[in-house]
Amino acid sequence: MRLSQYILPTLKEDPSDAVVLSHRLMIRAGLIRKESAGMYIYLPLGWRALRKIIGIVRGEMDKAGALEFLMPELTSSDLWRESGRWDAMGPEMFRIRDRNGIEYALAPTHEEAFTGVMRNLISSYRDLPKNVYQINTKFRDEIRPRFGVIRSKEFIMKDAYSFDMDEKGLEYSYQVMRKTYRRIFERCGLDTIPVEADTGAMGGRDSEEFMVASEVGEEVLLLCGSCGYRANREKAGYKRKDTKSGEKLKGLAEVVTPDVKTIDDLVKFFKCAAERLLKSIIYVADGRPVMAVVTGDRGINEQKLARAAGASSLELAPETVVEEVTGAPVGFAGPVTKKDIRILYDLSVKNVVNGITGANKKDLHFEGVNPGRDFSIKEEADISFAEEGDACPQCGSAMSSKKGIEVGHIFKLEYKYTRSMNVTVLSEEGVAVTPIMGTYGIGINRTMAAIVEQHNDEKGIVWPRSVAPFEVHLVRLGKGEMEIRDTDAIYDMLLKEGFEVLYDDRTASPGYKFADADLIGLPIRVTIGKHYFRNGEVEVKQRKETQVHKIEKDGLIDLITALLSVS
Ligand code: ATP
Ligand code: MG
């Protein structure tokens, strides 16, 4: 492709509204343009890179035996009502009506749509297992679209759904996808960390997310260097440290604390560490009040709490309920109480010595609170977020933490959709059996941004060859008629060899051309400049190396081939 005929609006300056590096570089390198908040246009160069990623994903999915579909983006509300998600999806789902008033969703995901079509395509054990997928647009009305294409309202996802006869079959399908994902990301040049994830609203059990470690990641990962335990913050467990400080136990005493309510207020007031505080929060779980107690330095993980409480719905209690169950306004609750309320204690509570907590009276706290003496721990569970330094739930070693971008997600849906949508097939014995499902997603655009986050330097993007929009950036420096003719001939030669070449045949200064080449980051730069016209030497440089190879035209193809194989 000749640059003189291309559309490549590179920018010298960073766009003012781009806060993360990949977003800045993708705009500056002329890959994408913002259409409006959370919506992006892929310009020709960006679309080429995206298509490379799609090609890798498609190739690996096909190799894994998955079958590609193309599903409508409009999904009928009937399907969503069958699964119960028409209401559950909430405002993240775009909903529209046709001229006859029939309601649709612009698909945020396709579990219902695929379950709906597979219901009619499979009827016996002979039709299973099947893994069906598509590479298609998803629409999500994200509360906060941000970071460019990392979180947008419209994006391309590869989504796959496996259907098996039994759990053993699902386990096999899941493992095949797990391996396929590793291979896909590896081929894209991405280092990913698979972590255990919560199954959340989707239902189901095993779930893993593929994370790309990055400072701009919105996810927090907890990692154990000793045993290899890896989980995201929603899911990560931790072990109780079974050591107590040797402090002498004080007596329980009331302290007047006018208007001192928050953890920050209390830390200042008592001049103590937050871990001495017993934060006590009232929730309503399946309609009944529950008090959750954790140390003040920890956050309550509501998913863990709901699970520990065995509740399918959980929310913070309104003020009136707090007053009713504690007898005090919000901010003064605590576990030292005679009231009959269910209390769930986090693992962090048991070894607190001389703690501080609300006295269930307005403007009063207790100090010298000691578990076992002042209240007994009847229900203990891990209900807080694991933090860096916490003991690994498997081996007890201290865990580290990292931020990550989630690029892919695999999980076992089990029977959530096949049951609610009445899918059955006949077994070998002629009995109706409900198939079991798995679901597997990869965000294509987010993967592209993650690649740019991982592969860049101060001059611009450094594409891995597998996903680079072109392989070779041919730069012509000469302007004379003969120089143009000779460089054109080299361009033709490279094309004939099958290389993907972007040919900078524009009339511009060498500095300008090199800056653009570095910014867009194609793996190999071939320069036809004064050396060529003086002594027949072509200059070849890998984007990721500083070394410049000088070689005669005859050796050019071999050198490019060799350098590309390590790019
Ligand atoms: P997140 O927690 O980041 O919102 P999710 O859990 O909602 O992601 P899934 O429903 O599992 O995501 O979707 C599969 C993949 O689609 C994700 O791993 C991610 O790569 C991609 N993805 C999800 N939401 C977006 C978005 N708004 N913009 C771009 N890619 C997205
Ligand atoms: Mg989401």
Side-chain angles (χ1 to χ4, degrees):
M1 175 52 67
R2 284 173 181 266
L3 249 179
S4 61
Q5 289 158 29
Y6 208 55
I7 296 177
L8 186 66
T10 52
L11 301 176
K12 267 215 171 86
E13 303 297 324
D14 282 336
S16 58
D17 62 344
V19 292
V20 300
L21 185 62
S22 57
H23 187 192
R24 288 200 293 269
L25 285 175
M26 287 169 80
I27 300 256
R28 285 188 49 210
L31 304 176
I32 57 168
R33 271 284 162 97
K34 185 171 172 177
E35 200 274 342
S36 58
M39 284 160 63
Y40 287 87
I41 296 157
Y42 282 78
L43 302 178
L45 196 70
W47 178 227
R48 278 186 76 99
L50 207 65
R51 269 170 33 209
K52 290 274 177 85
I53 299 169
I54 290 173
I56 291 174
V57 172
R58 176 174 285 131
E60 292 298 328
M61 290 302 290
D62 290 349
K63 220 186 284 167
L67 306 171
E68 187 172 0
F69 278 53
L70 181 63
M71 300 291 279
E73 299 286 6
L74 286 178
T75 47
S76 90
S77 58
D78 291 349
L79 283 170
W80 293 95
R81 288 210 167 86
E82 268 190 74
S83 72
R85 285 209 293 180
W86 183 253
D87 295 324
M89 288 303 279
E92 195 168 298
M93 192 152 83
F94 285 103
R95 295 155 209 258
I96 49 176
R97 285 174 196 273
D98 70 7
R99 65 182 73 204
N100 299 313
I102 297 172
E103 290 179 298
Y104 300 86
L106 281 175
T109 175
H110 276 84
E111 276 80 12
E112 282 80 356
F114 266 107
T115 308
V117 64
M118 288 304 280
R119 175 165 62 183
N120 298 317
L121 294 173
I122 54 175
S123 55
S124 110
Y125 70 95
R126 283 192 206 92
D127 300 324
L128 294 183
K130 285 281 179 298
N131 188 343
V132 289
Y133 82 100
Q134 66 172 342
I135 297 172
N136 206 350
T137 304
K138 299 280 180 274
F139 301 87
R140 293 185 184 180
D141 194 356
E142 298 277 357
I143 302 179
R144 287 215 286 161
R146 55 186 179 155
F147 304 153
V149 302
I150 291 181
R151 186 172 298 285
S152 51
K153 287 184 183 156
E154 184 182 329
F155 58 96
I156 301 175
M157 197 200 286
K158 185 285 298 169
D159 48 324
Y161 308 87
S162 65
F163 294 79
D164 277 281
M165 283 302 282
D166 50 33
E167 288 206 18
K168 213 172 123 206
L170 171 59
E171 174 62 20
Y172 185 80
S173 299
Y174 183 87
Q175 292 305 335
V176 169
M177 281 297 103
R178 200 167 184 274
K179 278 196 210 105
T180 301
Y181 271 41
R182 297 203 89 147
R183 176 103 189 102
I184 287 171
F185 293 124
E186 210 178 280
R187 282 187 58 192
C188 288
L190 269 181
D191 279 334
T192 51
I193 310 172
V195 301
E196 284 182 25
D198 201 84
T199 47
M202 282 289 207
R205 249 179 20 208
D206 285 348
S207 165
E208 275 163 291
E209 289 167 347
F210 287 76
M211 299 286 191
V212 173
S214 162
E215 266 312 301
V216 306
E218 295 179 276
E219 310 284 332
V220 177
L221 330 178
L222 276 298
L223 311 164
C224 174
S226 298
C227 74
Y229 177 76
R230 296 177 291 210
N232 75 11
R233 190 161 178 264
E234 271 71 52
K235 171 75 190 259
Y238 80 104
K239 233 186 209 159
R240 170 164 21 86
K241 288 195 190 92
D242 273 326
T243 47
K244 262 188 181 194
S245 86
E247 228 175 281
K248 208 168 138 242
L249 298 201
K250 291 186 187 151
L252 185 70
E254 271 185 2
V255 181
V256 180
T257 51
D259 241 13
V260 182
K261 293 182 201 166
T262 66
I263 294 297
D264 281 351
D265 293 345
L266 287 160
V267 163
K268 277 192 204 124
F269 184 91
F270 285 97
K271 298 188 180 61
C272 68
E275 56 200 35
R276 198 181 277 279
L277 304 170
L278 298 176
K279 178 159 78 180
S280 308
I281 309 286
I282 316 293
Y283 285 87
V284 177
D286 285 347
R288 291 188 46 214
V290 172
M291 188 189 291
V293 184
V294 306
T295 51
D297 56 329
R298 308 187 72 89
I300 296 179
N301 179 327
E302 294 182 358
Q303 275 161 3
K304 286 184 182 176
L305 176 62
R307 211 171 302 127
S312 55
S313 87
L314 180 102
E315 56 197 26
L316 275 175
E319 271 177 44
T320 48
V321 174
V322 174
E323 280 171 27
E324 206 174 295
V325 300
T326 67
V330 173
F332 300 96
V336 186
T337 174
K338 297 213 163 57
K339 297 231 178 186
D340 182 25
I341 175 171
R342 184 175 177 196
I343 306 181
L344 285 167
Y345 294 93
D346 184 56
L347 303 177
S348 56
V349 174
K350 189 175 172 197
N351 289 321
V352 169
V353 175
N354 297 329
I356 293 163
T357 190
N360 300 308
K361 284 182 209 150
K362 185 172 174 359
D363 295 340
L364 276 184
H365 276 81
F366 283 128
E367 62 177 357
V369 183
N370 286 290
R373 183 192 72 188
D374 303 317
F375 59 87
S376 60
I377 296 181
K378 291 202 194 96
E379 283 191 77
E380 186 189 46
D382 170 1
I383 56 169
S384 62
F385 285 107
E387 304 288 350
E388 184 155 43
D390 277 346
C392 166
Q394 283 181 11
C395 75
S397 308
M399 293 187 286
S400 63
S401 95
K402 266 195 183 138
K403 282 190 188 162
I405 301 172
E406 177 199 325
V407 286
H409 193 180
I410 57 174
F411 62 83
K412 295 184 179 174
L413 281 172
E414 305 204 324
Y415 299 103
K416 184 170 159 71
Y417 297 94
T418 43
R419 275 202 189 125
S420 59
M421 296 178 68
N422 289 318
V423 187
T424 57
V425 295
L426 289 181
S427 73
E428 215 169 335
E429 293 78 34
V431 185
V433 173
T434 306
I436 185 165
M437 280 176 75
T439 178
Y440 317 93
I442 291 181
I444 303 288
N445 322 60
R446 193 183 280 185
T447 296
M448 178 165 161
I451 295 169
V452 175
E453 284 289 337
Q454 260 187 11
H455 298 273
N456 63 73
D457 63 16
E458 67 293 342
K459 291 179 178 161
I461 302 173
V462 186
W463 287 111
R465 178 217 185 156
S466 59
V467 290
F470 292 90
E471 294 170 320
V472 178
H473 197 127
L474 176 64
V475 180
R476 188 192 73 206
L477 297 183
K479 291 181 196 139
E481 204 177 303
M482 193 191 73
E483 292 163 327
I484 291 176
R485 201 188 52 221
D486 283 1
T487 318
D488 282 359
I490 292 176
Y491 174 53
D492 288 339
M493 175 181 88
L494 295 178
L495 287 185
K496 225 174 266 150
E497 280 302 314
F499 294 118
E500 297 171 8
V501 188
L502 186 65
Y503 175 19
D504 194 346
D505 60 341
R506 298 173 300 183
T507 315
S509 72
Y512 183 88
K513 290 189 172 192
F514 290 146
D516 263 3
D518 283 340
L519 178 58
I520 69 174
L522 304 180
I524 309 286
R525 189 181 77 196
V526 176
T527 308
I528 314 297
K530 59 177 188 287
H531 291 284
Y532 183 70
F533 300 106
R534 224 178 270 154
N535 51 21
E537 274 177 353
V538 175
E539 288 172 300
V540 181
K541 186 186 162 295
Q542 271 181 288
R543 174 65 181 86
K544 64 179 182 185
E545 306 288 347
T546 46
Q547 191 193 351
V548 177
H549 306 263
K550 293 203 175 95
I551 190 161
E552 296 198 350
K553 192 177 152 192
D554 287 352
L556 184 59
I557 303 293
D558 287 346
L559 180 60
I560 294 176
T561 308
L563 293 179
L564 275 178
S565 71
V566 292
S567 293

